[in-house]
Amino acid sequence: MQSYKMDNAAGFQMTADRGWMARTATAGMAATKARRTIDDRSAAPHKPPAAAPTARRERNCSVARTLDIVSDAWAFLIIREAFFGTRTFEGFRSALGIPRATLTDRLRKLTRLAIFRQVATAIPNRNEYRLTKMGFDLYPSFIALMQFGDAWLSGKKPPPLTLIHVPCGCDSHPVVACSHCHKELTAREVEYRDGPGAGRSRAKAGRNTRRASDGSRFLAGRPSSVSRALQVIGDKWSFMVVREAFFGNRRYDKIQTELEIAPNILTDRLSRLVTQGVFDRRLYQSAPDRYEYVLTDMGRDFYGPFVAMLAWGDRWLASGKPPLILTHKSCGHDFQAEVICDQCQRPIVAADMKYRLTYDPKAFGALGPRSIA
Ligand SMILES: [Zn+2]
Ligand SMILES: [Zn+2]
């Protein structure tokens, strides 16, 4: 037998303000309409819900909109190769070993999204694919993910790439900072409130339905710390579970209610995130045993890439109506996240960067980067 309880009677909301981001307004977010939820299944196998849920509604989120694009592994890999100077169909094919039909599909999709524009070449019917301004603007988010991958996921080996920031000439380890005071951001120092784009929208059909994801599809081609970071978080459900942790939602029931996620998928993603070191699983109640999922130091360090992706989504996909407004408690100002050089504090742009590599791109059939130190 399954047992149900009403979420407004279960006290889940108690943890809402214990998150890493202190909430300053509550409208829209805690939609607490009475909804049946399944008892905490942290320690037990899950049964499916008794009835199919109605159309799922997702919290409007600029990070999710960005992840919608880069969590498609092929789309991400194509954009990455473009940052290294690849522009032609055959160039992408060679660097990624991607099937022709898949590459055609993704280039068409990325052109439709205005990440790429097609430019005619001297050869008839042979177009080049160039990043647009919007596409190039993904670079800081990639760099933020790369810093995370370098710090946590490269094992004992040196990172595949060293960044040299041309304006200051230094080896750079960019950080995600407040656009007002230019200090590095941590989740604990940020408050948030609903912006003009807050609310929920119907989830896109066909997304978020993957039952299991080992993320290995991100690892095609050259070695990459960005790939390693996305291997952990690039699965859309994994990302949303970590996002809920940043909102202070750490208990199974609360996460399930917020995301309207199928129990088997939530269980799968939580156990994977524990295995990968993003969460610690802690007993908070005995008989019956109940667990909460607390971000580790590594998990908390995802905050930088998160807010970098949020800033991109706000700039390009929010129609001027950001769903969340962030306030930096340290300086007292609303801000956008920016990715800056840790040496000279200038914002990172793709054109300003040179690279030292620990690998030979030719060994992967790949190009560049064009600027090698
Ligand atoms: Zn600040
Ligand atoms: Zn610099």
Side-chain angles (χ1 to χ4, degrees):
M1 280 296 287
Q2 294 190 21
S3 60
Y4 291 94
K5 61 193 175 191
M6 307 299 278
D7 70 353
N8 59 355
F12 308 141
Q13 308 295 344
M14 296 295 284
T15 58
D17 291 317
R18 288 167 47 204
W20 297 106
M21 298 195 287
R23 185 143 173 76
T24 54
T26 53
M29 179 91 76
T32 52
K33 66 177 173 162
R35 187 191 288 140
R36 293 200 303 182
T37 63
I38 295 168
D39 263 335
D40 188 345
R41 310 298 184 77
S42 312
H46 299 284
K47 295 171 197 163
T54 50
R56 219 172 52 77
R57 293 179 71 78
E58 279 182 0
R59 177 183 293 171
N60 294 342
C61 172
S62 285
V63 200
R65 289 170 185 157
T66 308
L67 249 306
D68 269 341
I69 296 170
V70 298
S71 69
D72 175 78
W74 286 126
F76 154 72
L77 290 164
I78 290 165
I79 296 167
R80 183 190 69 193
E81 292 307 314
F83 283 133
F84 285 119
T86 302
R87 292 176 167 180
T88 65
F89 190 91
E90 289 307 323
F92 291 117
R93 280 250 311 147
S94 164
L96 299 171
I98 177 173
R100 284 183 172 276
T102 311
L103 180 56
T104 302
D105 173 75
R106 295 310 194 280
L107 286 171
R108 195 176 290 148
K109 187 174 150 204
L110 289 168
T111 303
R112 198 168 57 234
L113 288 164
I115 304 285
F116 284 112
R117 64 193 166 92
Q118 294 192 32
V119 178
T121 64
I123 307 165
N125 301 320
R126 191 73 59 87
N127 286 352
E128 278 190 355
Y129 298 87
R130 304 226 184 129
L131 289 163
T132 59
K133 197 173 171 201
M134 178 184 179
F136 270 116
D137 193 36
L138 276 169
Y139 187 79
S141 292
F142 276 42
I143 292 297
L145 285 162
M146 177 186 151
Q147 297 307 296
F148 178 90
D150 283 353
W152 297 100
L153 305 172
S154 45
K156 298 263 190 288
K157 290 186 192 155
L161 276 184
T162 304
L163 303 172
I164 298 118
H165 195 220
V166 174
C168 68
C170 297
D171 285 10
S172 182
H173 300 277
V175 295
V176 182
C178 165
S179 58
H180 186 84
C181 69
H182 309 297
K183 296 274 186 326
E184 184 171 0
L185 292 166
T186 65
R188 288 171 205 254
E189 290 164 353
V190 174
E191 290 183 332
Y192 63 101
R193 65 182 187 274
D194 286 339
R200 282 176 180 267
S201 304
R202 180 186 288 235
K204 285 185 197 146
R207 288 209 180 268
N208 307 328
T209 51
R210 209 176 290 120
R211 288 297 162 93
S213 168
D214 66 0
S216 58
R217 63 200 195 289
F218 285 105
L219 300 180
R222 65 178 84 226
S224 162
S225 288
V226 190
S227 291
R228 290 170 191 158
L230 283 173
Q231 192 185 10
V232 175
I233 203 69
D235 164 69
K236 183 83 182 294
W237 279 126
S238 300
F239 148 72
M240 288 205 284
V241 169
V242 175
R243 182 191 66 190
E244 290 309 312
F246 284 125
F247 282 130
N249 300 326
R250 53 177 68 166
R251 296 187 178 176
Y252 189 96
D253 280 329
K254 178 65 178 161
I255 299 169
Q256 216 241 326
T257 306
E258 274 295 329
L259 298 181
E260 301 179 27
I261 179 174
N264 56 338
I265 296 178
L266 179 54
T267 303
D268 173 78
R269 296 309 191 273
L270 283 170
S271 67
R272 223 182 109 226
L273 290 164
V274 169
T275 306
Q276 287 170 323
V278 174
F279 285 123
D280 279 334
R281 184 170 177 257
R282 288 191 198 153
L283 190 71
Y284 72 88
Q285 179 192 304
S286 308
D289 288 354
R290 297 275 168 87
Y291 294 88
E292 59 185 8
Y293 296 84
V294 182
L295 288 166
T296 60
D297 288 346
M298 171 180 158
R300 278 198 300 281
D301 211 30
F302 259 123
Y303 191 73
F306 263 54
V307 286
M309 289 189 283
L310 184 148
W312 187 86
D314 279 352
R315 278 195 294 277
W316 297 102
L317 303 173
S319 309
K321 293 181 177 170
L324 271 188
I325 309 280
L326 305 179
T327 308
H328 196 205
K329 284 196 272 183
S330 321
C331 73
H333 288 269
D334 293 350
F335 70 94
Q336 288 81 45
E338 58 175 24
V339 183
I340 62 173
C341 173
D342 65 325
Q343 300 295 313
C344 70
Q345 274 76 49
R346 288 187 183 90
I348 294 295
V349 293
D352 282 348
M353 208 61 90
K354 285 188 179 182
Y355 307 88
R356 257 196 313 272
L357 307 176
T358 59
Y359 64 91
D360 179 3
K362 290 196 203 76
F364 298 90
L367 277 185
R370 269 171 292 184
S371 314
I372 298 187

